[in-house]
Amino acid sequence: MAGSRYSGEFKEQIVAEVIEKSRPVSEVAKAYGLVPQTAGNWVNKWCRTHPDSSGEELTSAELAELRKVKAQLREAQMEIEFLKKAAAFFARESR
């Protein structure tokens, strides 16, 4: 059987490094002497069996930063819309 070469604990360790530490699959695979596709398959299988676990819990500081960035994005989008309307207005006036 092709999947029995590595123990379940080893596979879990690889997946944990990718999911919990947000390390690239290729980097983790290289560190353990694995083919990146093998490690990627293990991670994909884990993600399919744990769909509700994103692996990324945001801290309160990260949530605050996310809210701030979203607010800035909304403001920038409103400014862009205003500038589009102003450009259209002045384009009509200059004819």
Side-chain angles (χ1 to χ4, degrees):
M1 183 177 212
S4 62
R5 183 173 173 188
Y6 301 102
S7 70
E9 293 83 19
F10 180 74
K11 292 176 183 179
E12 289 174 14
Q13 182 178 354
I14 300 300
V15 170
E17 289 226 14
V18 173
I19 301 293
E20 294 171 8
K21 296 181 181 177
S22 299
R23 292 182 60 201
V25 172
S26 58
E27 182 181 299
V28 173
K30 184 177 180 181
Y32 286 91
L34 297 169
V35 176
Q37 183 176 359
T38 301
N41 289 341
W42 296 341
V43 171
N44 289 335
K45 182 178 179 182
W46 185 90
C47 289
R48 281 193 306 273
T49 59
H50 299 84
D52 56 340
S53 302
S54 70
E56 290 187 30
E57 297 296 323
L58 297 178
T59 65
S60 59
E62 290 171 328
L63 284 172
E65 179 72 15
L66 181 59
R67 283 189 205 102
K68 178 181 171 187
V69 169
K70 284 184 176 184
Q72 289 172 338
L73 176 61
R74 277 192 302 276
E75 184 177 336
Q77 288 171 331
M78 289 180 3
E79 289 174 1
I80 289 170
E81 286 303 312
F82 173 79
L83 291 172
K84 284 180 183 178
K85 290 175 184 177
F89 173 79
F90 287 114
R92 281 192 307 266
E93 289 293 315
S94 65
R95 289 185 195 170

